[in-house]
Amino acid sequence: MKIGYCRVSTNDQNLDLQKDALKKAGCKKIFEDVISGAKSKRPGLNEITEYAREGDSIVVWRLDRLGRSLKDLINIVGKFETRGVELESLHESINTKSSSGKLYFHMFASLAEFERNIISERTKAGLDAARARGRLGGRPKGLSKSKRKHAVDLYNSKEKSIKDICEIMSISKPTLYKYVEEFNR
């Protein structure tokens, strides 16, 4: 039986593309996760590993949906192999049923990890370059410095409730507390 596994990293992302491809590939059941692939504890992956039986084939849209590092991918596929379960990756056209499929798996897994490392290096270099030019990054403050100070003054005076201050300033409680910490250091 073909069993699908799909994963996205955040709630903002959508599983529909992967699910559609897995259904089209003939998957009878699909397990899913909304969690980073770098995390080793993924409920959906744990479920599919327990659910799959000898002779089954676990199908993923892309290898990077299964794992982000070469070590993790090899460990996961190793667990499948010990249970007699095959792996298919639709995007890379890999099927570990054959010797050449296993070779392709290892090659593509290495390339996926390499790509992830390159992206990480570029991101770090970009952030370092921005910091060198004086940019700190992060989300801009919602209020000007004088308005942040006013919110903190209202908080310190204890004349208004936290809820009232947040409504007056149109900010959330965590934001108010960040401003309090900023000015009361």
Side-chain angles (χ1 to χ4, degrees), residues 70-117:
L70 179 59
K71 181 182 172 190
D72 286 343
L73 282 169
I74 290 172
N75 285 338
I76 292 166
V77 173
K79 287 179 188 175
F80 294 166
E81 285 179 352
T82 59
R83 299 184 67 159
V85 175
E86 308 294 336
L87 171 70
E88 289 181 48
S89 174
L90 301 176
H91 191 262
E92 292 90 355
S93 299
I94 293 173
N95 187 331
T96 61
K97 193 178 292 187
S98 68
S99 296
S100 60
K102 289 177 184 177
L103 172 65
Y104 293 144
F105 162 73
H106 286 279
M107 288 174 23
F108 277 102
S110 296
L111 291 172
E113 182 176 26
F114 175 71
E115 179 182 24
R116 182 172 183 245
N117 290 339

Side-chain angles (χ1 to χ4, degrees), residues 2-7 15-31 57-66 73 86-96 101 104-105 108:
K2 288 188 174 190
I3 308 163
Y5 174 73
C6 55
R7 181 190 61 77
L15 291 165
D16 291 343
L17 171 72
Q18 293 177 58
K19 283 182 179 179
D20 291 346
L22 294 171
K23 287 175 187 171
K24 187 176 178 182
C27 293
K28 304 294 181 207
K29 187 162 179 67
I30 298 174
F31 293 83
S57 184
I58 294 177
V59 183
V60 294
W61 180 62
R62 286 178 55 137
L63 281 179
D64 67 353
R65 301 298 84 202
L66 189 60
L73 282 169
E86 308 294 336
L87 171 70
E88 289 181 48
S89 174
L90 301 176
H91 191 262
E92 292 90 355
S93 299
I94 293 173
N95 187 331
T96 61
Y104 293 144
F105 162 73
F108 277 102

